Amino acid sequence: MNESLRELRERLAEIHDLRSAGGLLGWDQQTMMPERAAPLRAEALGTLGRLAHERFTDDAIGSLLSSLEGEEERLRAADPESDDAALIRVTRIDWEKSRRVPDELVAEMVRAGAHGHQAWVEARERSDFAHFLPYLARNVELRQRYVACFEGFDDPYDVLLDDYEPGMKTAEVAALFAELRGELVPLIAAVAEHADRVDNAILHGDFAPARQREVVQRVLSKLGWRADGWRLDEAAHPFAASFGPTDVRLTTRYEPDYVGMSLYGSIHEFGHGLYESQIAPELARTPLGEGVSLAVHESQSRLWENIVGRGRPFTRYLHGQLAEVFPERFGAVAPEDFYRAVNRVAPSLIRVEADEATYALHIILRFELEQAMIAGTLDLADLPEAWNARMKEYLGVDVPDDAHGVLQDVHWAGGDIGYFSTYALGNLIGAQLWERARADLPDLDAALEQGDGTQLREWLGTNLHRHGRKFTPRETVERITGAPIAVAPFVRYLRGKLTPLYGLD
Amino acid sequence: MNESLRELRERLAEIHDLRSAGGLLGWDQQTMMPERAAPLRAEALGTLGRLAHERFTDDAIGSLLSSLEGEEERLRAADPESDDAALIRVTRIDWEKSRRVPDELVAEMVRAGAHGHQAWVEARERSDFAHFLPYLARNVELRQRYVACFEGFDDPYDVLLDDYEPGMKTAEVAALFAELRGELVPLIAAVAEHADRVDNAILHGDFAPARQREVVQRVLSKLGWRADGWRLDEAAHPFAASFGPTDVRLTTRYEPDYVGMSLYGSIHEFGHGLYESQIAPELARTPLGEGVSLAVHESQSRLWENIVGRGRPFTRYLHGQLAEVFPERFGAVAPEDFYRAVNRVAPSLIRVEADEATYALHIILRFELEQAMIAGTLDLADLPEAWNARMKEYLGVDVPDDAHGVLQDVHWAGGDIGYFSTYALGNLIGAQLWERARADLPDLDAALEQGDGTQLREWLGTNLHRHGRKFTPRETVERITGAPIAVAPFVRYLRGKLTPLYGLD
């Protein structure tokens, strides 16, 4: 191997290990750590993050990248899909971005985010937006300074978006979301008129957590969870983490009075975990060894949670499992009624509790407000009013107070501006992948009716997962679906489900 | 604060964070990690260890220490117990030691230890010492090279001992152990003659792990375990870990047919954890913020496990808890019979299963053999024979095969030579501390009879734990007990217990 490439790989592996250790400390913090340890854990996380950043932005990485320019071309000429050429390309992009931002600004953003988070916790508790406002203003100002470190963008918001969805442009998202909003607002209004046709009362009741765990374990095992490479733990705010393809950790929450949370929450996190678990082992400890973007990652969680998990075939299997473990509740429920219950659509206040149809409108609202915040065209003091007006316009919902409105999400408090759109883009990509997978896998429905995720899992592994970050997000999606991100498949999917369910025209 | 001192502290805190992260990865590996993750975890641990080592042996630390020589004197003149002066002293000792050993030798020792461990696992399984011999020879040779990096010692073995028990000399340990052996061999022979007077059959039977866990949780909570700062998990080879005083993690093992393992094992680990949890918070993230030596650490685990946990007052409390949780087994057992059962003494083959009286003879045997290995006066091929001869001489035990003899311990396989003696020194120190504590705490027995560890916990916190590594191990022991490590208190303690128990003269 080329000596510069060998050295680059060695340095990147070390940086990976530092980040991975930080990831494990973060996982532990949310699942295992005794609460008194929080201040020392914050120090340790700070040190690991700082060292990884220092080592990655080092001049030496830049010199290696420069000396590898010819090698990259040679590698790609020999093999257009060369792992090593992709490694050099991705590392160069990451390195050049990281070098543009002064360390002090990074540190200041981290600090402001920590303070903002604390202020947000207090503000949400008291539903007091004014308390949060100066911290939000500080976060926005720092993001504007961050944007100013870059050049050559069409829209300042592009810079922020690129951190979560590399290569994506604000204008593209805006166009997709305008189309999507145009489809969803009337669809959801029509559903709301027939709200009484579907209810989900059977999902509420008395569900012992130990028995929920039993159901979740059964379901995940059929989908592809492996005891020797995965864990499932509890966390207040469920998430998936991974430390290489051989160490995937899901978390979930067991609500004693609602079985939907642990069931669909863990299938969602399974989608994230499966992606990481099927990345080619040879990409481990390199920047290629992770999901290609947040939207593509979210396409995986939503594909498994919603399209598979709430689809008619798989709900038959789920219903059977629930009837075995909770016979007193599900023994006498028809599979079709279970299918209807888990597909209930209803406009609501809180994003994280929204169904798959209304969800995107929560996102579009945030995306529009974020752009205005960064552009400086919205006075931040007017944010609650703007929020509430859009909730009414898009979802027909009246917001009673800011705790249930503009203060509901953690993202802006910590300074994460530009993140939200990836959730809804994930819905779109998921539907596109699903159309392709169904075309390729004629027996898919029959397998899912048995709860068996093997076919889809392997299809996703071969076509998507194994590549990690080797291709751009755009290339990644287009290689599989033959098209850029589009609205139509998702709308087709939703209409196909909701029209019969709600007896729409 | 002096600018050099501030910078030194900052660097040491960073190094602490790296080591602490490595510690958490190690804890996770033994308690939580999916097995397939082992190879990637080894890489991450290697990186963290290497970075911590690089940063600690850095020239910059040496320059800071040089520039702080005058400051150290000033600080100590102003306050003989100055934390900062102690920090400079301890850091200088650690740094000078670490600088003497070339990085390549350190790396080679780690590698040889890993290979040795693997070979040992195979050799023990097959009871095949010949398979292990070349790996052991390599470990010994590397330790001899390690010793050669130092100068000014009385005995080559001093260098190895110093890594585990700073400041301790081989000659001192040899003198203590000769005296101890002279006391123990006839005492244990006398006990063996009356072996039938005590049996521990009541500790064996059918003990559901969940109920064992209930007992352990009750007991530890009374002793001082705190839910907001401690954890208790399961591990195949139980240990205690801590990441600062606010994050203490014990592990234990629940044997379904023997209640003694989880009960006394977790009290043992509690002793280790308590030490770390009571170190002064202001020493956190410095080299002073940990136990002062392995022997002093072991004095804590053995004090709680044996002297408290097997003492008559506390066994009354333990018996009560067991009778509540396992009424079918302990309901009809008299407290005195439980006390007798947990204090059974019997010569046996395996160190980790040995009782508190025979234990030290297992250690003395190893200490003597280690010295001969390092001095080169024992042909390693003759090690099994030498082992077996000593087992017969000291304990009257015939060794059936090497798996139950020379191959039983993990230490030499990984290259840990010089470690063993600290276990038995811990027994001696524990008895010395106990004599002092009883003199200071007239109500101690009454408290322990209620299971209440508060008095002893606070006494240990004030007199020992809070100081961390601020004083040398020798100073630490002498400040409390007024004497150097000695044999007499331990022998007094043992005779006081065993003479009536076994009806000796």
Side-chain angles (χ1 to χ4, degrees):
Chain A
M1 188 190 286
N2 177 300
E3 180 55 27
S4 294
L5 183 55
R6 198 200 52 72
E7 192 188 331
L8 180 67
R9 279 184 164 275
E10 203 169 287
R11 285 174 176 267
L12 293 174
E14 229 176 52
I15 293 161
H16 165 88
D17 289 341
L18 284 169
R19 289 182 179 151
S20 174
L24 186 80
L25 265 61
W27 171 84
D28 181 81
Q29 185 168 33
Q30 293 189 64
T31 56
M32 300 288 159
M33 189 187 80
E35 57 183 289
R36 290 181 70 216
L40 280 177
R41 180 57 52 87
E43 298 283 1
L45 283 168
T47 294
L48 290 174
R50 196 169 54 249
L51 292 183
H53 178 77
E54 274 174 26
R55 291 179 98 80
F56 185 65
T57 56
D58 197 301
D59 290 341
I61 302 262
S63 305
L64 289 168
L65 288 167
S66 295
S67 75
L68 283 166
E69 278 175 24
E71 178 71 4
E72 183 185 353
E73 277 175 41
R74 269 190 300 279
L75 286 164
R76 192 165 288 118
D79 171 9
E81 301 199 354
S82 155
D83 283 358
D84 284 332
L87 176 72
I88 297 168
R89 180 185 63 76
V90 165
T91 304
R92 181 176 290 114
I93 293 171
D94 289 353
W95 186 80
E96 285 175 356
K97 282 191 76 168
S98 73
R99 289 278 288 198
R100 284 183 170 270
V101 187
D103 290 353
E104 310 82 68
L105 179 56
V106 173
E108 189 52 30
M109 290 196 300
V110 170
R111 253 194 308 277
H115 293 146
H117 183 90
Q118 185 53 38
W120 167 77
V121 169
E122 297 154 5
R124 190 169 73 148
E125 205 170 287
R126 310 197 305 249
S127 197
D128 179 0
F129 180 75
H131 178 64
F132 179 53
L133 180 56
Y135 298 91
L136 176 62
R138 177 77 178 140
N139 282 343
V140 169
E141 182 214 326
L142 288 168
R143 262 59 194 176
Q144 287 164 335
R145 279 173 51 196
Y146 179 83
V147 168
C149 299
F150 295 82
E151 54 199 20
F153 45 78
D154 305 327
D155 186 307
Y157 188 82
D158 283 356
V159 174
L160 304 181
L161 189 57
D162 192 80
D163 284 348
Y164 304 100
E165 198 59 27
M168 180 61 75
K169 300 292 175 204
T170 310
E172 290 176 83
V173 180
L176 289 167
F177 282 4
E179 182 185 349
L180 182 59
R181 201 181 72 191
E183 296 280 356
L184 287 182
V185 170
L187 175 64
I188 284 157
V191 165
E193 275 178 38
H194 303 293
D196 57 339
R197 293 184 181 171
V198 177
D199 88 86
N200 66 1
I202 55 166
L203 304 177
H204 295 269
D206 187 14
F207 300 100
R211 288 158 76 194
Q212 292 192 48
R213 195 176 299 125
E214 162 69 17
V215 175
V216 166
Q217 274 293 0
R218 288 187 189 195
V219 171
L220 295 186
S221 297
K222 288 284 279 184
L223 289 179
W225 192 92
R226 294 176 55 164
D228 64 352
W230 297 57
R231 287 188 58 88
L232 173 67
D233 297 283
E234 293 182 52
H237 303 283
F239 63 98
S242 79
F243 315 108
T246 47
D247 192 350
V248 173
R249 306 189 182 196
L250 314 183
T251 62
T252 194
R253 200 172 75 216
Y254 302 99
E255 293 193 350
D257 56 358
Y258 175 57
V259 75
M261 167 60 73
S262 68
L263 190 58
Y264 282 101
S266 54
I267 297 174
H268 178 100
E269 302 306 341
F270 167 80
H272 284 303
L274 183 68
Y275 190 174
E276 299 287 327
S277 81
Q278 296 201 120
I279 293 175
E282 59 269 26
L283 304 184
R285 299 182 80 219
T286 80
L288 302 185
E290 49 190 87
V292 70
S293 76
L294 290 191
V296 176
H297 233 300
E298 200 70 11
S299 79
Q300 297 307 289
S301 53
R302 287 164 190 274
L303 173 56
W304 287 98
E305 176 192 356
N306 292 329
I307 307 185
V308 171
R310 293 187 158 89
R312 197 174 258 112
F314 197 73
T315 55
R316 289 194 166 266
Y317 163 74
L318 282 184
H319 172 270
Q321 299 306 307
L322 287 166
E324 276 181 35
V325 177
F326 296 106
E328 72 285 4
R329 163 56 59 126
F330 290 104
V333 170
E336 181 66 16
D337 288 335
F338 177 69
Y339 168 73
R340 295 177 67 83
V342 300
N343 283 295
R344 178 171 175 266
V345 166
S348 63
L349 284 164
I350 305 296
R351 176 183 62 86
V352 297
E353 296 168 4
D355 55 74
E356 61 175 327
T358 58
Y359 189 88
L361 292 174
H362 290 269
I363 295 304
I364 292 170
L365 170 164
R366 286 159 177 77
F367 170 72
E368 292 168 352
L369 294 176
E370 281 186 347
Q371 283 179 270
M373 285 195 277
I374 293 301
T377 55
L378 173 69
D379 185 336
L380 293 177
D382 297 335
L383 192 60
E385 197 181 330
W387 179 287
N388 298 350
R390 278 182 170 74
M391 282 298 287
K392 186 69 180 175
E393 184 187 345
Y394 300 167
L395 285 161
V397 162
D398 292 306
V399 178
D401 56 46
D402 290 338
H404 294 84
V406 69
L407 288 174
Q408 68 182 261
D409 289 311
V410 68
H411 302 62
W412 295 344
D416 280 329
I417 300 174
Y419 187 133
F420 278 121
S421 63
T422 66
Y423 292 125
L425 295 173
N427 275 336
L428 303 184
I429 298 168
Q432 291 176 272
L433 292 172
W434 179 247
E435 287 197 346
R436 183 75 243 164
R438 281 175 65 88
D440 287 355
L441 304 169
D443 303 329
L444 183 55
D445 278 0
L448 293 178
E449 197 166 319
Q450 305 301 315
D452 184 354
T454 313
Q455 280 189 26
L456 183 58
R457 191 172 76 234
E458 291 178 353
W459 185 90
L460 289 167
T462 305
N463 291 287
L464 171 61
H465 298 168
R466 69 187 169 97
H467 300 308
R469 292 179 71 200
K470 193 165 145 179
F471 305 105
T472 67
R474 191 180 309 273
E475 286 166 354
T476 301
V477 171
E478 294 194 13
R479 279 169 54 93
I480 310 173
T481 66
I485 302 183
V487 167
F490 180 63
V491 172
R492 268 199 292 276
Y493 157 75
L494 266 191
R495 285 199 183 280
K497 178 183 274 188
L498 298 182
T499 302
L501 201 67
Y502 277 92
L504 312 178
D505 316 319
Chain B
M1 190 191 284
N2 177 299
E3 180 54 29
S4 295
L5 183 55
R6 198 199 53 69
E7 193 189 331
L8 181 67
R9 279 184 164 275
E10 205 168 285
R11 286 175 175 266
L12 294 173
E14 230 174 51
I15 292 160
H16 165 90
D17 289 342
L18 283 169
R19 289 182 179 153
S20 174
L24 187 80
L25 265 62
W27 172 85
D28 180 81
Q29 184 168 34
Q30 292 190 64
T31 56
M32 300 288 159
M33 189 188 81
E35 57 183 289
R36 290 181 71 218
L40 281 176
R41 180 57 52 87
E43 298 283 1
L45 283 168
T47 294
L48 290 174
R50 195 169 55 249
L51 292 182
H53 179 76
E54 273 173 28
R55 291 179 98 81
F56 185 65
T57 55
D58 198 298
D59 290 341
I61 302 260
S63 305
L64 289 168
L65 288 168
S66 294
S67 76
L68 282 166
E69 278 176 24
E71 178 71 3
E72 183 186 354
E73 276 176 42
R74 268 190 299 280
L75 286 164
R76 190 165 290 120
D79 170 9
E81 301 199 354
S82 155
D83 283 358
D84 284 333
L87 176 71
I88 297 167
R89 179 184 64 77
V90 165
T91 304
R92 181 176 291 115
I93 293 171
D94 290 352
W95 186 81
E96 285 175 356
K97 282 191 76 169
S98 74
R99 290 278 287 198
R100 284 182 169 269
V101 187
D103 290 352
E104 310 83 66
L105 179 57
V106 173
E108 188 52 30
M109 290 195 301
V110 170
R111 255 195 306 277
H115 293 146
H117 183 89
Q118 184 54 37
W120 167 76
V121 169
E122 297 154 6
R124 189 170 73 150
E125 207 169 287
R126 311 197 303 248
S127 196
D128 179 1
F129 180 75
H131 178 65
F132 178 53
L133 181 56
Y135 298 91
L136 176 62
R138 178 77 178 139
N139 282 343
V140 169
E141 182 214 326
L142 288 167
R143 262 57 194 179
Q144 287 164 335
R145 279 172 52 196
Y146 179 84
V147 169
C149 300
F150 296 82
E151 54 199 19
F153 44 79
D154 305 326
D155 186 309
Y157 188 83
D158 282 356
V159 174
L160 304 181
L161 189 57
D162 192 81
D163 283 348
Y164 306 100
E165 198 57 27
M168 181 61 75
K169 301 293 174 202
T170 310
E172 289 175 86
V173 180
L176 289 167
F177 282 5
E179 181 185 351
L180 182 59
R181 201 180 73 190
E183 297 280 356
L184 287 182
V185 170
L187 175 63
I188 285 158
V191 165
E193 276 178 38
H194 303 293
D196 58 338
R197 293 184 180 171
V198 176
D199 87 87
N200 65 1
I202 55 168
L203 304 177
H204 295 268
D206 187 14
F207 300 100
R211 288 158 75 194
Q212 290 191 47
R213 195 176 298 124
E214 162 69 17
V215 175
V216 167
Q217 273 294 0
R218 287 186 189 195
V219 171
L220 295 186
S221 297
K222 287 285 279 186
L223 288 179
W225 192 93
R226 295 177 53 164
D228 64 352
W230 297 57
R231 287 187 59 87
L232 174 67
D233 297 282
E234 292 181 52
H237 302 284
F239 63 99
S242 78
F243 315 107
T246 48
D247 192 349
V248 173
R249 305 189 181 196
L250 313 183
T251 62
T252 194
R253 198 171 77 215
Y254 301 100
E255 294 194 349
D257 56 358
Y258 175 56
V259 76
M261 167 60 74
S262 69
L263 190 59
Y264 283 99
S266 54
I267 297 174
H268 178 100
E269 302 307 339
F270 167 81
H272 284 303
L274 183 68
Y275 190 174
E276 298 287 326
S277 81
Q278 296 201 119
I279 292 175
E282 59 270 24
L283 303 184
R285 298 181 80 219
T286 80
L288 302 185
E290 49 191 85
V292 71
S293 76
L294 290 191
V296 177
H297 233 300
E298 200 69 12
S299 79
Q300 297 307 289
S301 53
R302 287 166 189 273
L303 173 56
W304 287 98
E305 176 192 355
N306 292 328
I307 306 184
V308 171
R310 293 186 158 89
R312 196 174 259 114
F314 197 73
T315 56
R316 292 195 164 264
Y317 162 75
L318 281 184
H319 171 269
Q321 300 305 306
L322 287 166
E324 276 181 33
V325 177
F326 295 104
E328 73 284 4
R329 163 56 58 127
F330 290 103
V333 170
E336 181 66 14
D337 288 335
F338 177 70
Y339 168 74
R340 295 176 67 82
V342 300
N343 283 295
R344 177 170 175 270
V345 167
S348 63
L349 285 164
I350 306 296
R351 176 184 62 85
V352 297
E353 295 168 5
D355 56 74
E356 62 175 327
T358 58
Y359 188 89
L361 291 174
H362 290 269
I363 295 304
I364 292 170
L365 170 165
R366 287 157 176 77
F367 170 73
E368 292 168 351
L369 294 177
E370 282 186 347
Q371 284 178 270
M373 285 195 276
I374 294 300
T377 55
L378 173 68
D379 185 338
L380 294 178
D382 298 335
L383 193 60
E385 195 181 332
W387 179 287
N388 299 350
R390 278 183 172 73
M391 283 298 287
K392 186 71 180 174
E393 183 187 346
Y394 299 167
L395 286 161
V397 162
D398 292 306
V399 178
D401 55 46
D402 291 337
H404 294 83
V406 69
L407 288 174
Q408 69 182 263
D409 290 311
V410 69
H411 302 62
W412 296 343
D416 281 328
I417 300 174
Y419 187 134
F420 278 119
S421 64
T422 66
Y423 292 126
L425 294 173
N427 275 336
L428 302 184
I429 299 168
Q432 290 176 273
L433 293 171
W434 178 247
E435 286 197 347
R436 183 76 241 165
R438 281 175 63 89
D440 286 355
L441 303 170
D443 303 329
L444 184 54
D445 278 0
L448 293 178
E449 197 165 321
Q450 304 302 314
D452 184 354
T454 313
Q455 282 189 26
L456 183 57
R457 192 172 77 233
E458 291 179 352
W459 185 91
L460 288 167
T462 305
N463 292 287
L464 171 60
H465 298 167
R466 70 187 168 96
H467 301 306
R469 293 178 71 198
K470 193 165 145 179
F471 305 106
T472 66
R474 192 180 309 273
E475 286 167 353
T476 302
V477 171
E478 294 195 13
R479 279 169 54 91
I480 309 172
T481 67
I485 303 183
V487 168
F490 179 64
V491 172
R492 266 198 293 275
Y493 156 76
L494 267 191
R495 286 197 182 281
K497 179 182 275 188
L498 298 181
T499 302
L501 201 66
Y502 278 91
L504 311 177
D505 315 320

